[in-house]
Amino acid sequence: MSEMEKTHILVIDDDTRLRKLLHQYLSENGFMVSEAASPVEARVLMSSFLFDILILDVMMPGENGYSFAKSLREKGDNIPILMLTAMGELQDRITGLESGVDDYLSKPFDPKELLLRINSILRRASTISAKEKQTIYKLGTCQYDTQRGELTQNGQFVPLTSAENELLKVLIEKIGQEVTREELARIFKTENERSIDVQVNRLRKKIETDPKSPRYLQTVRGKGYLLLPD
């Protein structure tokens, strides 16, 4: 694997010895590694390089790891974060997760477990990224483009009302999950859940081969609806 293809890890820890050990171990296991002794140094590096994952200590002079992770999430930065800390209490783990970190590993730790945690986080991040990149969903002979908000059937444009378009987007955001009538009623700002059923039936006529026996926009009896694209 070339240097350009390697996963790039940024280790943020004020403990020089631990940083060097992690640098050596992770490099030996095929990662590209950079180091920062503080969140200040980390921000400088992150402004110049794209990292795939952060390994972040909690207790550091000045800004701690919790605050740094929270600041990244508040800016909309979703880079995966594995937090390393000597504090193993439940409340400390909860605080870390509330700050937006993806996983938590207490010191001292087994290096092999560190690798497992890193690879697990990267797999999850890759799956999420793939879902975020997907913009076109196939529904039999129909396709829906979430970026354009356009439905086509066999390449021909199918007009949608604003309500139908919004309904389809909401269902796509929760593919394979039931969306209750109550939830849809709140989204559409209506107290009449029957109006949701009407919108669903209208949408089915545009995406289903047989609206009376729907394949894609299915009813969850007594609860709501779910969308199952191809």
Side-chain angles (χ1 to χ4, degrees), residues 1-218:
M1 182 180 290
S2 69
E3 289 295 312
M4 292 296 291
E5 294 173 322
K6 287 184 178 181
T7 295
H8 196 174
I9 298 177
L10 176 59
V11 177
I12 310 165
D13 197 313
D14 64 319
D15 185 332
T16 302
R17 178 176 175 277
L18 180 58
R19 283 202 320 273
K20 298 303 179 186
L21 287 173
L22 287 174
H23 193 144
Q24 180 180 349
Y25 180 72
L26 293 171
S27 296
E28 289 172 352
N29 281 276
F31 295 103
M32 184 176 177
V33 184
S34 294
E35 303 174 32
S38 68
V40 172
E41 288 186 17
R43 287 191 175 92
V44 172
L45 288 171
M46 293 175 73
S47 68
S48 301
F49 300 97
L50 291 175
F51 295 98
D52 297 292
I53 184 171
L54 306 182
I55 296 179
L56 176 65
D57 187 32
V58 173
M59 301 306 295
M60 292 178 284
E63 185 178 8
N64 64 35
Y66 297 138
S67 175
F68 179 61
K70 187 175 181 181
S71 71
L72 291 178
R73 298 307 187 228
E74 287 176 346
K75 290 193 311 178
D77 190 333
N78 293 319
I79 184 170
I81 301 173
L82 173 60
M83 182 165 274
L84 298 182
T85 177
M87 301 185 298
E89 296 299 323
L90 176 61
Q91 185 55 50
D92 297 318
R93 294 198 297 272
I94 292 173
T95 300
L97 294 172
E98 288 177 341
S99 301
V101 304
D102 296 87
D103 203 352
Y104 202 103
L105 189 58
S106 298
K107 302 175 184 176
F109 52 84
D110 186 318
K112 291 182 179 179
E113 183 179 3
L114 173 65
L115 283 181
L116 290 173
R117 297 289 185 99
I118 290 171
N119 287 323
S120 176
I121 292 172
L122 291 172
R123 281 196 301 271
R124 292 200 302 269
S126 176
T127 300
I128 292 171
S129 177
K131 288 181 179 178
E132 289 174 344
K133 290 176 182 176
Q134 184 174 352
T135 60
I136 297 177
Y137 294 83
K138 194 169 184 301
L139 304 155
T141 59
C142 294
Q143 284 191 346
Y144 182 70
D145 188 325
T146 57
Q147 284 191 330
R148 295 175 177 271
E150 291 181 356
L151 179 70
T152 58
Q153 184 174 45
N154 295 320
Q156 299 299 311
F157 178 72
V158 178
L160 294 173
T161 66
S162 59
E164 291 165 351
N165 209 333
E166 182 65 20
L167 175 60
L168 195 47
K169 285 183 177 179
V170 169
L171 292 169
I172 281 176
E173 286 175 0
K174 294 191 174 183
I175 285 176
Q177 303 176 45
E178 65 182 49
V179 183
T180 65
R181 289 183 175 85
E182 293 86 348
E183 186 176 351
L184 290 171
R186 287 196 299 272
I187 292 171
F188 286 94
K189 296 180 173 60
T190 178
E191 296 180 359
N192 183 2
E193 293 180 13
R194 174 59 184 160
S195 66
I196 300 299
D197 298 336
V198 171
Q199 293 295 343
V200 168
N201 288 333
R202 288 177 176 171
L203 183 56
R204 276 177 173 157
K205 290 178 181 178
K206 297 183 177 181
I207 66 174
E208 299 283 358
T209 302
D210 182 0
K212 293 182 179 179
S213 182
R215 155 68 179 82
Y216 302 103
L217 208 176
Q218 297 187 6

